[in-house]
Amino acid sequence: KAGVTQTPRYLIKTRGQQVTLSCSPISGHRSVSWYQQTPGQGLQFLFEYFSETQRNKGNFPGRFSGRQFSNSRSEMNVSTLELGDSALYLCASSLAGVEEQYFGPGTRLTVT
Amino acid sequence: KQEVTQIPAALSVPEGENLVLNCSFTDSAIYNLQWFRQDPGKGLTSLLLIQSSQREQTSGRLNASLDKSSGRSTLYIAASQPGDSATYLCAVPPGMDAGNMLTFGGGTRLMVKP
Protein backbone atom coordinates (compact mmCIF):
# COMPACT_ATOMS: atom_id res chain seq x y z
CA LYS A 1 0.00 0.00 0.00
CA ALA A 2 1.43 3.38 -1.00
CA GLY A 3 2.42 5.76 1.75
CA VAL A 4 1.75 9.44 2.16
CA THR A 5 3.18 11.46 -0.71
CA GLN A 6 4.05 15.13 -0.74
CA THR A 7 4.90 17.37 -3.65
CA PRO A 8 7.10 19.12 -4.36
CA ARG A 9 9.92 17.82 -2.19
CA TYR A 10 11.95 21.02 -2.36
CA LEU A 11 11.01 24.63 -3.04
CA ILE A 12 12.88 27.88 -3.11
CA LYS A 13 10.78 31.04 -3.02
CA THR A 14 11.37 34.75 -2.54
CA ARG A 15 9.91 36.85 0.25
CA GLY A 16 6.44 38.11 -0.60
CA GLN A 17 5.61 35.25 -2.95
CA GLN A 18 3.04 32.59 -2.24
CA VAL A 19 3.38 28.81 -2.32
CA THR A 20 1.11 25.79 -2.52
CA LEU A 21 2.10 22.40 -1.15
CA SER A 22 0.28 19.16 -1.86
CA CYS A 23 -0.30 16.02 0.17
CA SER A 24 -1.87 12.73 -0.92
CA PRO A 25 -2.87 10.54 2.03
CA ILE A 26 -2.79 6.77 2.25
CA SER A 27 -5.71 5.28 0.35
CA GLY A 28 -8.78 5.16 2.58
CA HIS A 29 -7.49 7.73 5.06
CA ARG A 30 -9.81 10.68 5.51
CA SER A 31 -7.87 12.79 8.00
CA VAL A 32 -4.93 14.91 6.85
CA SER A 33 -2.87 17.05 9.21
CA TRP A 34 -0.11 19.53 8.45
CA TYR A 35 2.92 20.36 10.59
CA GLN A 36 5.76 22.82 10.37
CA GLN A 37 9.20 21.76 11.59
CA THR A 38 11.96 24.25 12.30
CA PRO A 39 15.18 23.89 14.32
CA GLY A 40 14.05 26.53 16.79
CA GLN A 41 10.40 25.61 17.32
CA GLY A 42 10.40 21.90 16.59
CA LEU A 43 7.26 20.32 15.20
CA GLN A 44 4.18 22.52 15.37
CA PHE A 45 0.65 21.68 14.32
CA LEU A 46 -0.80 23.82 11.52
CA PHE A 47 -4.25 22.37 10.79
CA GLU A 48 -6.20 19.18 10.28
CA TYR A 49 -8.79 18.38 7.64
CA PHE A 50 -11.35 15.64 7.78
CA SER A 51 -13.95 15.01 5.07
CA GLU A 52 -13.13 18.35 3.39
CA THR A 53 -13.69 20.31 6.63
CA GLN A 54 -11.07 21.93 8.80
CA ARG A 55 -11.39 20.18 12.14
CA ASN A 56 -8.54 21.78 14.07
CA LYS A 57 -6.27 24.75 13.61
CA GLY A 58 -2.97 25.58 15.26
CA ASN A 59 -1.65 28.94 16.29
CA PHE A 60 -0.43 30.26 12.95
CA PRO A 61 -1.28 33.52 11.15
CA GLY A 62 -3.97 33.67 8.51
CA ARG A 63 -1.31 33.60 5.79
CA PHE A 64 -1.35 29.86 6.29
CA SER A 65 -4.42 28.17 4.84
CA GLY A 66 -5.41 24.80 3.56
CA ARG A 67 -8.11 22.75 1.98
CA GLN A 68 -9.05 19.17 1.36
CA PHE A 69 -10.62 17.70 -1.72
CA SER A 70 -13.26 15.00 -2.03
CA ASN A 71 -10.55 12.38 -2.70
CA SER A 72 -8.92 13.39 0.64
CA ARG A 73 -5.93 14.99 -1.04
CA SER A 74 -4.97 18.19 0.72
CA GLU A 75 -3.18 21.38 -0.15
CA MET A 76 -1.74 24.06 2.06
CA ASN A 77 -1.04 27.58 0.91
CA VAL A 78 1.24 30.18 2.41
CA SER A 79 0.82 33.72 1.14
CA THR A 80 3.21 36.67 1.45
CA LEU A 81 6.14 34.46 2.39
CA GLU A 82 8.52 35.56 5.13
CA LEU A 83 12.05 34.36 5.84
CA GLY A 84 10.75 32.67 9.00
CA ASP A 85 8.51 30.43 6.91
CA SER A 86 11.57 28.46 5.82
CA ALA A 87 10.92 25.00 7.24
CA LEU A 88 10.16 21.38 6.57
CA TYR A 89 6.41 21.01 6.07
CA LEU A 90 5.07 17.60 6.91
CA CYS A 91 1.67 16.12 6.35
CA ALA A 92 0.23 13.11 8.09
CA SER A 93 -2.79 10.96 7.42
CA SER A 94 -4.94 8.67 9.50
CA LEU A 95 -8.18 6.80 9.02
CA ALA A 96 -10.56 9.16 10.74
CA GLY A 97 -10.28 9.61 14.45
CA VAL A 98 -7.43 9.55 16.90
CA GLU A 99 -5.41 6.68 15.51
CA GLU A 100 -1.90 6.05 14.36
CA GLN A 101 -0.69 8.78 12.06
CA TYR A 102 1.52 8.21 9.05
CA PHE A 103 3.78 10.96 7.82
CA GLY A 104 4.97 11.87 4.36
CA PRO A 105 8.59 12.72 3.46
CA GLY A 106 7.95 16.45 3.76
CA THR A 107 8.45 19.50 1.58
CA ARG A 108 11.54 21.58 2.32
CA LEU A 109 10.67 25.24 1.75
CA THR A 110 13.42 27.82 1.63
CA VAL A 111 12.47 31.50 1.53
CA THR A 112 15.19 33.90 0.39
CA LYS B 1 -2.28 23.18 27.36
CA GLN B 2 -0.43 19.92 26.84
CA GLU B 3 3.36 20.09 27.07
CA VAL B 4 5.62 17.22 26.09
CA THR B 5 9.24 16.96 27.22
CA GLN B 6 11.90 14.50 26.14
CA ILE B 7 15.04 13.77 28.09
CA PRO B 8 17.86 13.56 27.20
CA ALA B 9 18.01 15.87 24.21
CA ALA B 10 20.99 13.95 22.84
CA LEU B 11 22.54 10.60 23.57
CA SER B 12 25.65 8.86 22.29
CA VAL B 13 26.22 5.18 23.05
CA PRO B 14 28.46 2.39 21.80
CA GLU B 15 26.91 -0.30 19.64
CA GLY B 16 25.24 -3.11 21.55
CA GLU B 17 24.06 -1.09 24.53
CA ASN B 18 20.48 -1.18 25.75
CA LEU B 19 19.06 2.31 26.19
CA VAL B 20 15.99 4.14 27.44
CA LEU B 21 14.49 7.31 26.04
CA ASN B 22 12.10 9.28 28.20
CA CYS B 23 8.97 11.24 27.38
CA SER B 24 6.82 13.15 29.85
CA PHE B 25 3.53 14.98 29.34
CA THR B 26 1.64 17.40 31.57
CA ASP B 27 -1.98 16.44 30.86
CA SER B 28 -2.66 12.78 31.62
CA ALA B 29 -6.01 12.80 29.78
CA ILE B 30 -4.46 11.40 26.63
CA TYR B 31 -6.04 8.95 24.24
CA ASN B 32 -2.80 7.41 23.03
CA LEU B 33 0.91 8.13 22.66
CA GLN B 34 2.97 7.60 19.56
CA TRP B 35 6.72 7.21 19.13
CA PHE B 36 8.37 8.25 15.88
CA ARG B 37 11.81 8.10 14.35
CA GLN B 38 13.16 10.84 12.09
CA ASP B 39 16.30 10.59 10.01
CA PRO B 40 18.00 13.90 9.11
CA GLY B 41 15.95 15.92 6.64
CA LYS B 42 13.36 13.19 6.29
CA GLY B 43 9.78 12.61 7.37
CA LEU B 44 8.66 10.77 10.48
CA THR B 45 8.40 7.00 10.68
CA SER B 46 5.88 5.62 13.15
CA LEU B 47 7.50 3.16 15.55
CA LEU B 48 4.88 2.35 18.16
CA LEU B 49 1.43 3.51 19.19
CA ILE B 50 0.28 2.86 22.75
CA GLN B 51 -3.38 3.24 23.56
CA SER B 52 -4.23 4.82 26.92
CA SER B 53 -5.58 1.47 28.13
CA GLN B 54 -2.27 -0.28 27.41
CA ARG B 55 0.85 -0.39 29.54
CA GLU B 56 3.31 -1.64 26.92
CA GLN B 57 3.77 -2.14 23.22
CA THR B 58 6.57 -4.06 21.56
CA SER B 59 7.99 -4.19 18.06
CA GLY B 60 11.19 -6.12 17.49
CA ARG B 61 13.97 -4.59 19.61
CA LEU B 62 11.71 -1.71 20.65
CA ASN B 63 9.50 -1.63 23.71
CA ALA B 64 7.42 1.34 24.74
CA SER B 65 5.69 1.71 28.07
CA LEU B 66 3.06 4.17 29.22
CA ASP B 67 2.18 5.35 32.72
CA LYS B 68 -0.67 7.82 32.36
CA SER B 69 -0.96 8.58 36.05
CA SER B 70 2.61 9.84 36.23
CA GLY B 71 2.55 11.38 32.75
CA ARG B 72 5.44 9.32 31.44
CA SER B 73 6.40 7.04 28.61
CA THR B 74 9.68 5.29 27.91
CA LEU B 75 11.09 3.82 24.73
CA TYR B 76 13.49 0.97 25.34
CA ILE B 77 15.87 -0.01 22.55
CA ALA B 78 17.64 -3.32 23.01
CA ALA B 79 21.06 -4.13 21.57
CA SER B 80 21.45 -0.81 19.79
CA GLN B 81 22.92 -0.70 16.27
CA PRO B 82 24.47 2.13 14.23
CA GLY B 83 21.35 2.04 12.04
CA ASP B 84 19.32 3.15 15.07
CA SER B 85 21.01 6.55 14.90
CA ALA B 86 18.22 9.09 14.39
CA THR B 87 16.02 11.51 16.30
CA TYR B 88 13.25 9.90 18.32
CA LEU B 89 10.07 11.85 18.98
CA CYS B 90 7.06 11.16 21.13
CA ALA B 91 3.68 12.77 20.50
CA VAL B 92 0.23 12.85 22.06
CA PRO B 93 -3.17 13.92 20.71
CA PRO B 94 -5.28 16.14 23.00
CA GLY B 95 -8.12 13.72 23.57
CA MET B 96 -10.51 11.24 22.03
CA ASP B 97 -12.83 13.75 20.39
CA ALA B 98 -10.32 16.45 19.57
CA GLY B 99 -9.01 15.12 16.30
CA ASN B 100 -5.45 14.52 15.32
CA MET B 101 -3.52 17.58 16.43
CA LEU B 102 -0.42 16.00 17.90
CA THR B 103 1.76 17.77 20.43
CA PHE B 104 5.38 16.70 20.01
CA GLY B 105 8.30 16.59 22.37
CA GLY B 106 11.57 18.18 21.34
CA GLY B 107 13.07 14.79 20.49
CA THR B 108 16.11 12.80 21.56
CA ARG B 109 18.96 12.74 19.05
CA LEU B 110 20.55 9.30 19.29
CA MET B 111 23.96 8.35 17.94
CA VAL B 112 25.09 4.74 18.13
CA LYS B 113 28.81 4.36 17.51
CA PRO B 114 30.22 1.23 15.88
Side-chain angles (χ1 to χ4, degrees), chain B residues 25 27-31 51-53 55 66-72:
Chain B
F25 44 94
D27 186 347
S28 62
I30 62 170
Y31 187 64
Q51 301 292 349
S52 60
S53 58
R55 297 279 296 179
L66 176 63
D67 184 342
K68 275 185 60 176
S69 61
S70 67
R72 292 184 179 185

Side-chain angles (χ1 to χ4, degrees), chain B residues 21-96:
Chain B
L21 308 181
N22 297 293
C23 171
S24 61
F25 44 94
T26 54
D27 186 347
S28 62
I30 62 170
Y31 187 64
N32 60 43
L33 184 145
Q34 198 166 355
W35 282 93
F36 295 91
R37 166 189 172 136
Q38 185 175 33
D39 293 288
K42 303 291 180 62
L44 276 63
T45 300
S46 177
L47 297 173
L48 289 164
L49 174 76
I50 313 179
Q51 301 292 349
S52 60
S53 58
Q54 296 177 309
R55 297 279 296 179
E56 279 190 11
Q57 192 67 261
T58 298
S59 176
R61 294 182 294 108
L62 304 179
N63 176 276
S65 67
L66 176 63
D67 184 342
K68 275 185 60 176
S69 61
S70 67
R72 292 184 179 185
S73 176
T74 60
L75 179 67
Y76 175 83
I77 303 177
S80 58
Q81 303 171 358
D84 295 330
S85 299
T87 296
Y88 291 81
L89 297 139
C90 66
V92 293
M96 184 172 176

Side-chain angles (χ1 to χ4, degrees), chain A residues 9 31 33 35 37 43 45 48 55-57 88 90 94 96-106 108, chain B residues 31-32 34 36 38 41-49 51 89 93 95-102 104:
Chain A
R9 294 293 312 281
S31 168
S33 301
Y35 295 82
Q37 186 176 33
L43 271 155
F45 172 80
E48 180 205 2
R55 183 155 69 173
N56 284 296
K57 189 177 190 308
L88 181 66
L90 295 161
S94 65
V98 188
E99 311 105 351
E100 189 166 7
Q101 292 199 49
Y102 299 87
F103 280 75
R108 170 74 62 186
Chain B
Y31 187 64
N32 60 43
Q34 198 166 355
F36 295 91
Q38 185 175 33
K42 303 291 180 62
L44 276 63
T45 300
S46 177
L47 297 173
L48 289 164
L49 174 76
Q51 301 292 349
L89 297 139
M96 184 172 176
D97 298 321
N100 282 328
M101 45 183 295
L102 294 177
F104 282 86

Side-chain angles (χ1 to χ4, degrees), chain A residues 1-6 24-27 93 102-105:
Chain A
K1 168 157 123 170
V4 179
T5 59
Q6 292 187 245
S24 293
I26 292 172
S27 178
S93 76
Y102 299 87
F103 280 75

Side-chain angles (χ1 to χ4, degrees), chain A residues 6-23 34 36 46-47 62-67 73-89 106-112:
Chain A
Q6 292 187 245
T7 57
R9 294 293 312 281
Y10 303 93
L11 265 179
I12 300 176
K13 290 286 188 178
T14 304
R15 272 181 302 176
Q17 288 186 317
Q18 74 164 16
V19 67
T20 299
L21 313 181
S22 180
C23 172
W34 288 89
Q36 180 195 66
L46 281 157
F47 28 66
R63 299 185 297 107
F64 291 81
S65 63
R67 59 177 175 168
R73 189 177 71 84
S74 177
E75 288 181 348
M76 68 164 280
N77 183 275
V78 188
S79 62
T80 319
L81 283 166
E82 301 177 359
L83 294 178
D85 297 333
S86 294
L88 181 66
Y89 289 88
T107 294
R108 170 74 62 186
L109 172 65
T110 302
V111 182
T112 61

